């Protein structure tokens, strides 16, 4: 029902204000009518009181705190009181959130201070009362007041002065009145004519419940529903919207409006009241990252990389060169870097000297100067002024044209800065780090602007109280874990008071369910409710109280997929068994490692020889090239110098000379395979290998007992069941007692030795070397990790306190049980045979423990991970 034009319309929320305005807009298009005043309750009360103060002699001028200012004040009080306990920032934020919630509940339920004091038993309750008094004291001293406190204050003034009188007031969205609003409405009703917004009651024409397998299945059902109701006015509601909104919107974009990816100004088909904070907008993130560079403690390489890759500062001409510098720094894998180090790199590193980085260098010098000047404490207004001046100097947002939504984001960023500058809470001087925290809090609490179109789909949370009518509504995620969900107990409100005032208990839930069900019926005559039965491995249960009499239908989306004319259901988890007496497999032991992670991976990559495209870049040296070169270098060294005695006799100078000679030989051979490498590149790589080889050989010289190298890079044939393949062992050392140590060189990431010892084993290389090569007297095996400035030998030994154990870290066997080593070898033998048997059987299931285990899989697209769940279900059946 459209309100009368003589009414003043008071809404509970700002979104309801927009809904009422849209109702009038639709009517105005058909007929010229007068639009009445429309306000949200908070804005209206403030406006009325300000007008009253202008015509009266009242000197009670208050500044009403916004939500961000209120949070900052509470956080300041709590942080100061808990300073000695050294809580982390996230812990303080969590405590602040609960305290704000407790304060809101107390004011809405009109709980008296005397009651709080009477039930003050726990430390949390005592702390809360103390903080509450400090909050009130600060507000009184600074003439500040929170929104809910202002309502309490306004009620007193309305009773005393009749500020609002003889008005016709239409209340919208006040169907769930807490005691505070009930009191306000009763007081206003004495001097004004109040009535509630009424819906035109209509009988429900269509209602249904759909049981889905999971959330993905629910979203598929929603997509089908939207396609059947194109151009109708639709509403999607979810109590789990904050978790699933992005997933839902992405699917809407792909399935319903794919053109949005090609046309940046394409009007969106949906609106959502759940907005992300301004701090999450890419253009704002870039601005804040550039501001953080002025912090002298800023050494995060990721921040430097992203800032250099940003294209809307300094100039346009130098962007390509800055991008090359960013990629160069990123490839070096430097975890921490400073402004001074970047400036030195630009000046001295031959790989970037040819780049045009003059303007960047000037900007970095400016930032280095700021790091010194910004080391002192300043007022927030001074920090804001310095921020704006800095952004102007680096020409932020001035290089490239911005899209309309980016301009809106920047406009809101400037407004946020003004609010920080005029902050009424933080009066003391702040460090730059403290200012950044305050600014981030401001941006995090400021919703990013959205362009409102006449979209035909609204997406809202379950807490929203919509006003507009819809052709159809879909209520998703109606599972008990989302609604009513787990209500976390608030430790700052005494339990007896929570019980007395029915704070989020069963009485409250029953009341709110009745209200929300009525809202749904008022909004549409076509209502669909969906819920999931699973969330991963967790079983879910439907929420009761919403159309319980309806028999749920099973989701049809999977049936539609399978029964489509374009699709055929196939079972491809079993391949033909591999027959024959001696089966040669590609990939060697990697084929069994791949099978161990995911049988389908081994099938596609090792049995069918599928691979991803790889381009050998001729003018670069890859990580694989570097690994191969270090292997060749050490192979030549030990074939020439044989044992540790010869190594021990070498002085530092002689060792370096011997390494230089071998590197020149190895690099000369390598140059023939990479003709496009420049002499300068060859020289840089040679210097790297000289350094890393010297570190490794010095480590062996100092830390290891006497040994001789009996084999380097020798091949062995492996036979496991009917599988055969060749392996190349990097090195075999023999000790004076005749026992042998297998060594494998690694230049990549370090892995735990528990991957060999803990069943089921996940790293097969060393267990296969020890168990199936036929090498006698193996007493230990180790990985030689050869990194820059980090060389070590990590492995496993059969001894407890003997010299071999002393050189191998992470040894897990002890002298107490001398049978551990043969027992371990026997367990390896059984486990690896089991894997070989599975590989030969034709098992090609898409099963794995963690998707991260597939990070090195070159055939990942062929695994069709989206179908994995369905395959597992069929297998279970």
């Amino acid at each position: 029902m459209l309100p009368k034009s003589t009414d003043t319309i008071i809404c509970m929320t700002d979104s309801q204000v927009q809904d009422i305005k849209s109702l009038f807009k639709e009517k105005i298009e058909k007929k010229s009518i007068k639009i009445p005043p429309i306000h949200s309750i908070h804005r209206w009360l403030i406006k009325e009181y300000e007008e009253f103060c202008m015509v009266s002699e009242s000197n009670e001028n208050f500044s009403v705190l916004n939500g961000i200012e209120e949070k900052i004040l509470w956080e300041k009080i709590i942080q100061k009181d808990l300073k000695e306990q050294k809580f982390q920032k996230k812990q303080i934020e969590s405590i602040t959130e609960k305290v704000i919630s407790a304060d809101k509940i107390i004011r809405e339920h009109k709980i008296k201070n005397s009651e709080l004091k009477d039930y003050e038993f726990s430390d949390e309750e005592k702390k809360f009362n103390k903080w509450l008094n400090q909050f009130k004291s600060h507000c009184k001293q600074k003439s500040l007041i929170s929104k809910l406190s202002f309502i309490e204050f306004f009620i007193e003034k309305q009773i005393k002065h009749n500020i609002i009188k003889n008005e016709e007031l239409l209340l919208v969205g006040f169907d769930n009145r807490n005691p505070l609003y009930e009191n306000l409405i009763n007081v206003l009703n004495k001097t004004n004519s109040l009535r509630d917004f009424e819906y035109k009651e209509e009988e429900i024409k269509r209602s249904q419940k759909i049981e889905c397998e999971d959330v993905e299945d629910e979203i598929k059902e929603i997509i089908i529903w939207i396609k059947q109701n194109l151009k109708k006015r639709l509403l999607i509601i979810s109590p789990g919207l904050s978790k699933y909104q992005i997933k839902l919107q992405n699917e809407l974009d792909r399935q319903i409006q794919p053109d949005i990816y090609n046309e940046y100004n394409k009007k969106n088909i949906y609106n959502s009241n759940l907005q992300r904070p301004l701090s999450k907008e890419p253009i704002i993130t870039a601005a804040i990252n550039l501001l953080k560079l002025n912090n002298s403690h800023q050494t995060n390489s990721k921040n430097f990389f992203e800032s250099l890759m940003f294209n809307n500062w300094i100039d346009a001409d130098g962007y390509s060169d800055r991008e090359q510098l960013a990629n160069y720094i990123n490839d070096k894998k430097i975890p921490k870097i400073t402004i001074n180090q970047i400036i030195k790199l630009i000046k001295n590193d031959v790989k970037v000297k040819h780049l045009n980085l003059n303007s960047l260098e000037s900007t970095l010098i400016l930032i280095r100067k700021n790091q010194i000047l910004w080391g002192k404490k300043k007022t927030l207004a001074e920090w804001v002024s310095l921020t704006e001046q800095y952004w102007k100097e680096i020409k932020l947002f001035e290089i490239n044209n911005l899209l309309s939504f980016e301009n809106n984001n920047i406009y809101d960023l400037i407004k946020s800065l003004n609010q920080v500058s005029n902050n009424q809470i933080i009066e003391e001087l702040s460090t730059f780090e403290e200012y950044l925290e305050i600014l981030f809090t401001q941006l995090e609490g400021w919703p990013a602007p959205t362009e409102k179109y006449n979209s035909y789909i609204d997406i809202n949370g379950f807490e929203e109280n919509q006003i507009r009518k819809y052709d159809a509504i879909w209520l998703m995620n109606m599972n008990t874990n989302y609604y009513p969900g787990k209500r976390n107990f608030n430790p700052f409100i005494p339990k007896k008071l929570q019980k007395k005032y029915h704070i989020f208990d069963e009485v409250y839930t029953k009341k709110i369910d009745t209200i929300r069900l009525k809202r749904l019926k008022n909004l549409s005559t076509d209502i669909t409710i969906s819920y999931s039965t699973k969330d991963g491995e967790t079983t879910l249960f439907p929420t009761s109280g919403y159309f319980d009499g309806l028999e749920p239908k099973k989701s049809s989306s999977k049936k539609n997929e399978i029964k489509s004319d374009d699709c055929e259901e196939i079972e491809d988890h079993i391949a033909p068994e591999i027959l024959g007496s001696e089966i040669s497999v590609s990939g060697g032991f990697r084929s069994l490692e791949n099978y161990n992670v995911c049988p389908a991976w081994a099938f596609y990559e090792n049995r069918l020889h599928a691979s991803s495209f790889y381009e050998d870049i001729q003018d670069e040296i890859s990580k694989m090239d570097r690994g191969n070169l270090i292997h060749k270098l050490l192979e030549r060294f030990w074939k020439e110098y044989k044992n540790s005695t010869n190594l021990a006799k070498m002085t530092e100078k002689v060792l370096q000379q011997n390494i230089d000679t071998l590197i020149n030989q190895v690099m000369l051979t390598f140059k023939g395979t990479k003709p496009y490498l420049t002499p300068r590149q060859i020289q840089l790589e040679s210097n790297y290998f000289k350094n890393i080889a010297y570190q490794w050989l010095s480590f062996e010289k100092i830390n290891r007992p006497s040994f001789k190298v009996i084999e380097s890079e020798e091949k062995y044939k492996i036979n496991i069941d009917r599988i055969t393949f060749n392996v190349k062992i990097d090195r075999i050392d023999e000790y004076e007692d005749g026992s042998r140590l297998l060594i494998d060189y690694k230049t990549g990431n370090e892995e735990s030795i528990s991957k060999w010892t803990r069943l089921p084993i996940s790293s097969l290389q060393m267990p296969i070397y020890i168990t199936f090569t036929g090498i006698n007297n193996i007493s230990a095996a180790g990985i030689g990790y050869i990194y820059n400035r980090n060389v070590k030998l990590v492995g496993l030994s059969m001894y407890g306190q003997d010299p071999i154990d002393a050189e191998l870290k992470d040894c897990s066997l002890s002298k107490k049980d001398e049978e551990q080593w043969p027992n371990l070898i026997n367990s390896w033998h059984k486990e690896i045979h089991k894997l070989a048997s599975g590989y030969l059987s034709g098992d090609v299931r898409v099963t794995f423990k963690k998707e991260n285990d597939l990070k090195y899989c070159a055939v990942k697209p062929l695994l069709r991970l989206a179908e994995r769940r369905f395959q597992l279900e069929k297998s279970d059946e």
Side-chain angles (χ1 to χ4, degrees), residues 66 68-69 71-72 275-281 283-289 291-292 387 391 397 408-420 435-449:
N66 59 43
I68 299 168
E69 290 171 332
K71 179 185 177 184
I72 291 172
Q275 297 173 322
R276 65 178 182 177
L278 193 61
S279 59
K280 298 290 186 183
E281 292 296 305
I283 196 81
I284 305 303
T285 301
I288 298 304
N289 282 345
L291 184 61
K292 286 179 181 178
T387 298
W391 281 341
F397 309 138
N408 292 337
N409 287 334
I410 293 166
Y411 177 71
D412 275 13
L413 173 61
I414 302 302
K415 288 201 294 184
S416 293
L417 282 173
N418 289 336
Q419 280 207 7
V420 171
Y435 160 66
L436 284 175
E437 283 188 14
I438 293 166
L439 176 58
F440 188 77
T441 300
Q442 180 76 27
L443 296 175
E444 206 171 33
W446 192 295

Side-chain angles (χ1 to χ4, degrees), residues 51-65:
E51 290 176 0
F52 166 74
C53 289
M54 291 173 65
V55 297
S56 71
E57 297 179 356
S58 174
N59 294 320
E60 294 177 298
N61 291 321
F62 290 96
S63 180
V64 180
L65 294 169

Side-chain angles (χ1 to χ4, degrees), residues 106-325:
I106 286 165
R107 295 186 188 282
E108 287 182 341
H109 288 79
K110 297 180 68 63
I111 300 174
K112 297 176 182 177
N113 290 336
S114 57
E115 287 184 286
L116 292 173
K117 202 69 182 172
D118 289 342
Y119 293 103
E120 186 188 80
F121 301 121
S122 69
D123 289 340
E124 289 86 355
E125 291 157 7
K126 291 174 184 176
K127 286 279 188 188
F128 175 71
N129 287 337
K130 176 184 173 183
W131 295 338
L132 185 59
N133 289 332
Q134 290 175 357
F135 183 89
K136 291 177 179 177
S137 175
H138 182 93
C139 288
K140 185 177 181 181
Q141 184 181 352
K142 303 295 181 183
S143 297
L144 302 172
I145 194 166
S146 66
K147 284 184 178 179
L148 292 179
S149 295
F150 180 76
I151 294 178
E152 294 171 334
F153 169 79
F154 187 89
I155 291 171
E156 293 176 10
K157 298 303 172 185
Q158 175 66 20
I159 294 170
K160 187 175 181 180
H161 300 292
N162 285 334
I163 297 172
I164 302 170
K165 57 187 177 182
N166 303 324
E167 293 265 1
E168 289 187 11
L169 303 176
L170 177 69
L171 304 181
V172 177
F174 285 79
D175 52 358
N176 180 28
R177 298 173 187 173
N178 55 52
L180 177 63
Y181 286 104
E182 191 71 55
N183 188 16
L184 173 66
I185 290 168
N186 289 338
V187 168
L188 289 173
N189 202 29
K190 291 178 181 179
T191 54
N192 301 276
S193 174
L194 273 67
R195 63 190 182 92
D196 286 308
F197 179 77
E198 294 179 2
Y199 292 90
K200 182 182 178 182
E201 292 189 14
E202 295 181 67
E203 187 179 344
I204 299 293
K205 296 177 181 176
R206 181 176 177 270
S207 59
Q208 61 174 342
K209 261 188 182 179
I210 298 182
E211 179 184 288
C212 299
E213 178 189 337
D214 50 30
V215 170
E216 284 74 16
D217 203 18
E218 281 193 74
I219 292 174
K220 287 177 183 175
E221 287 289 342
I222 290 171
I223 297 300
I224 295 170
W225 173 70
I226 291 172
K227 287 179 177 179
Q228 293 170 348
N229 294 278
L230 286 174
K231 301 305 177 184
K232 287 185 179 179
R233 185 109 183 106
L234 306 176
L235 172 64
I236 301 170
I237 305 174
S238 167
L241 190 61
S242 58
K243 184 175 181 180
Y244 296 114
Q245 176 173 329
I246 300 301
K247 188 175 286 189
L248 173 61
Q249 290 179 350
N250 286 343
E251 203 61 26
L252 285 171
D253 291 340
R254 283 192 289 266
Q255 300 291 338
I256 307 297
Q257 54 174 6
D259 291 347
I260 203 165
Y261 293 110
N262 303 319
E263 304 173 35
Y264 74 89
N265 59 346
K266 176 84 174 177
K267 289 186 177 180
N268 214 331
I269 63 167
Y270 55 79
N271 279 324
S272 175
N273 284 337
L274 188 65
Q275 297 173 322
R276 65 178 182 177
L278 193 61
S279 59
K280 298 290 186 183
E281 292 296 305
I283 196 81
I284 305 303
T285 301
I288 298 304
N289 282 345
L290 289 170
L291 184 61
K292 286 179 181 178
L293 297 180
N294 296 279
N295 185 351
S296 58
H297 302 300
Q298 167 58 43
T299 58
N300 189 331
S301 293
K302 183 173 180 284
N303 191 20
F304 281 113
F305 172 75
E306 291 177 353
S307 296
L308 290 172
M309 294 294 286
F310 182 58
N311 68 350
N312 210 341
W313 68 309
I314 303 180
D315 56 37
D317 296 337
Y319 174 68
S320 177
D321 292 326
R322 292 197 297 276
E323 187 179 33
Q324 289 184 56
L325 174 65

Side-chain angles (χ1 to χ4, degrees), residues 647 655 693-703:
L647 175 62
L655 178 57
Y694 177 76
Q695 287 184 56
W696 170 253
L697 292 169
S698 295
F699 166 81
E700 294 208 79
K701 178 181 176 181
I702 296 168
N703 294 284

Side-chain angles (χ1 to χ4, degrees), residues 545-569:
Y546 290 80
F547 296 98
D548 288 337
L550 290 176
E551 185 68 28
K553 299 177 182 177
K554 298 286 185 181
S555 166
S556 62
S557 60
K558 287 195 179 296
K559 296 176 187 175
N560 291 340
E561 288 174 12
I562 296 168
K563 293 182 179 180
S564 168
D565 294 336
D566 300 324
C567 299
E568 178 184 357
E569 183 179 358

Side-chain angles (χ1 to χ4, degrees), residues 11 59 237 241 296 351 484 530 614 621 683 687 774 778 783 822:
C11 303
N59 294 320
I237 305 174
L241 190 61
S296 58
K351 285 222 169 184
S530 67
Y614 172 75
I621 299 179
Q683 186 59 49
N687 292 341
I778 299 173
I783 305 296

